[in-house]
């Protein structure tokens, strides 16, 4: 929702800051500017290309400002209730790790209460209305099921899949998903790692729903540098030595990036560090459709330093 609103403002005045404020700060990279310019130019030529989000977490306070705008003409809440709702959403922002790691039932119950009350008498008329409706429904879906004792981590992935289904149903067009590799695995059971099997299920849901229309490409570095999560401000470390039984080890002498798929890499079971810097055993062609291997990689440099160390946990993903 926040990224959708930020993108609309970007299309009005071409200020990239609208998009950057609506995303995780680790995504504010110089390389992204070329994508924004491309999308802007495509729209100027009459092509409808959008940049929107699909995560269901409380991100940062900027989306609360957008919700305030969209609720100006909603009469089902009194002005006092609206203000209480906005304050509660701000407290639940992902920029506050106290909310993330503590059981704040009062905050959660208020969000569900106000969201349900708005939805009970809400008839979307504009594109923005439909995004607001989906956002409120996502609040209810995720929080209610968490309160019923379900796994909040896997439930985040379920919420992502719901939002992608909303986009696919509304626009019936091609969607390119950018996300951490862990969320997009076609079959999480194909990775010999209990955590991913039980918690990273967004890709499983998409694969079951869309079949061959869901195509997942991963990438991995053979050599080069990685980000130092303990000191991430353009402070890099050399990638660890390759595991001898990994797909990266088999292709360590390439001169340029190589694309592997089932037709040119016949193995099913191998090791790879495509999800990060640790090698995991996986049935590769159950998990992905293609793998790009890159030699001598280097991390992107963030445009701005993170304001507070509390956000560094996100950089480890």
């Amino acid at each position: 929702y926040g990224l959708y609103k930020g993108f609309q403002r970007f299309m009005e005045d071409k200020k990239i800051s609208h998009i950057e404020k609506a995303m995780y700060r680790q995504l504010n990279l110089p390389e992204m500017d070329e994508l924004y310019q491309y999308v802007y130019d495509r729209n100027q030529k009459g092509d409808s290309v959008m940049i929107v989000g699909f995560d269901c977490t409380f991100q940062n306070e900027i989306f609360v400002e957008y919700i305030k705008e969209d609720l100006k003409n909603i009469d089902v809440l009194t002005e006092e209730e609206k203000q209480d709702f906005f304050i509660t959403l701000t407290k639940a922002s992902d920029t506050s790790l106290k909310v993330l790691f503590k059981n704040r039932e009062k905050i959660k119950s208020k969000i569900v209460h106000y969201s349900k009350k708005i939805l009970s008498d809400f008839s979307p008329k504009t594109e923005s209305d439909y995004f607001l409706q989906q956002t409120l429904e996502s609040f209810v879906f995720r929080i209610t099921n968490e309160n019923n004792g379900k796994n909040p981590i896997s439930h985040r992935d379920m919420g992502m899949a719901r939002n992608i289904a909303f986009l696919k149903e509304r626009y019936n067009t091609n969607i390119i998903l950018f996300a951490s590799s862990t969320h997009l695995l076609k079959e999480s059971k194909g990775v010999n790692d209990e955590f991913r099997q039980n918690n990273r299920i967004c890709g499983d849901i998409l694969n079951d729903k869309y079949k061959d229309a869901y195509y997942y490409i991963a990438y991995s570095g053979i050599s080069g540098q990685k980000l130092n999560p303990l000191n991430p401000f353009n402070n890099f470390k050399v990638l660890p030595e390759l595991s001898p039984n990994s797909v990266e080890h088999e292709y360590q002498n390439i001169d340029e990036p190589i694309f592997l798929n089932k037709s040119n890499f016949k193995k099913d079971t191998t090791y790879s560090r495509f999800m990060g810097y640790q090698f995991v055993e996986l049935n590769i062609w159950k998990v992905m459709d293609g793998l790009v291997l890159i030699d001598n990689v280097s991390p992107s440099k963030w445009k701005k330093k993170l304001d507070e160390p509390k956000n560094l946990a996100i950089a480890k993903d």
Side-chain angles (χ1 to χ4, degrees), residues 45 56 68 73 98 100 149 189 204 229 251 291 293 295 313:
K45 294 176 181 178
C56 60
K68 285 182 181 180
N73 299 321
K98 291 181 179 180
L100 278 178
K189 299 293 184 184
D204 292 78
Y251 289 88
L291 176 65
L293 296 178
D295 191 29

Side-chain angles (χ1 to χ4, degrees), residues 28-119:
N28 293 340
L29 309 171
E31 292 88 343
M32 299 291 282
D33 293 355
E34 186 177 350
L35 172 64
Y36 305 146
Q37 181 66 51
Y38 171 78
V39 173
Y40 183 87
D41 292 342
R42 285 285 300 272
N43 278 278
Q44 294 303 305
K45 294 176 181 178
D47 296 332
S48 180
V49 183
M50 297 174 62
I51 298 176
V52 301
F54 60 91
D55 203 347
C56 60
T57 57
F58 296 98
Q59 181 191 355
N60 53 41
E61 289 86 350
I62 189 66
F63 86 97
V64 182
E65 297 303 314
Y66 294 143
I67 289 180
K68 285 182 181 180
E69 295 178 13
D70 281 347
L71 293 186
K72 282 181 179 178
N73 299 321
I74 299 297
D75 297 327
V76 68
L77 297 184
T78 66
E79 286 304 314
E80 290 76 12
E81 288 176 320
K82 287 180 183 180
Q83 292 306 313
D84 190 36
F85 186 36
F86 302 147
I87 292 171
T88 304
L89 286 175
T90 301
K91 290 180 179 178
S93 165
D94 269 355
T95 56
S96 172
L97 294 191
K98 291 181 179 180
V99 175
L100 278 178
F101 298 122
K102 288 186 178 181
N103 189 18
R104 303 292 294 275
E105 295 304 324
K106 185 176 180 180
I107 290 176
K108 292 179 179 180
S109 63
K110 276 191 175 185
I111 292 172
V112 171
H113 169 72
Y114 288 129
S115 296
K116 284 184 173 180
K117 193 167 182 178
I118 296 167
L119 290 168

Side-chain angles (χ1 to χ4, degrees), residues 55-57 141-143 145-146 149-162 182-183 188-189 194-205:
D55 203 347
C56 60
T57 57
F141 170 80
R142 186 177 181 191
I143 296 173
N145 282 275
E146 283 182 11
K150 295 188 177 181
N151 188 332
I153 302 177
S154 63
H155 225 71
R156 177 189 175 195
D157 268 46
M158 293 170 67
M160 290 183 185
R162 282 170 53 93
T182 58
H183 294 294
S188 58
K189 299 293 184 184
E194 185 176 351
F195 176 80
R196 272 97 182 179
Q197 291 176 359
N198 294 327
N199 299 294
R200 296 297 191 247
I201 58 174
C202 178
D204 292 78
I205 298 170

Side-chain angles (χ1 to χ4, degrees), residues 242-268:
L242 294 173
S243 172
N245 52 1
S246 67
V247 62
E248 289 86 352
H249 186 272
E250 292 190 44
Y251 289 88
Q252 62 181 309
N253 296 317
I254 62 171
D255 295 325
E256 57 185 25
I258 186 172
F259 177 73
L260 301 179
N261 56 30
K262 198 170 185 179
S263 65
N264 60 11
F265 185 73
K266 302 296 184 180
K267 290 184 179 180
D268 289 325

Side-chain angles (χ1 to χ4, degrees), residues 212-228:
D212 291 341
Y214 180 59
Y215 193 87
Y216 170 41
I217 300 176
Y219 77 92
S220 183
I222 293 177
S223 65
Q225 297 177 314
K226 68 174 184 175
L227 192 70
N228 181 357

Side-chain angles (χ1 to χ4, degrees), residues 181 185 215-220 258-260 272 274-275 282 284-285 287-294:
S181 297
L185 314 176
Y215 193 87
Y216 170 41
I217 300 176
Y219 77 92
S220 183
I258 186 172
F259 177 73
L260 301 179
S272 177
F274 76 100
M275 291 191 293
L282 72 156
I284 187 169
W285 304 127
V287 172
M288 65 185 71
D289 294 290
L291 176 65
V292 179
L293 296 178
I294 306 171

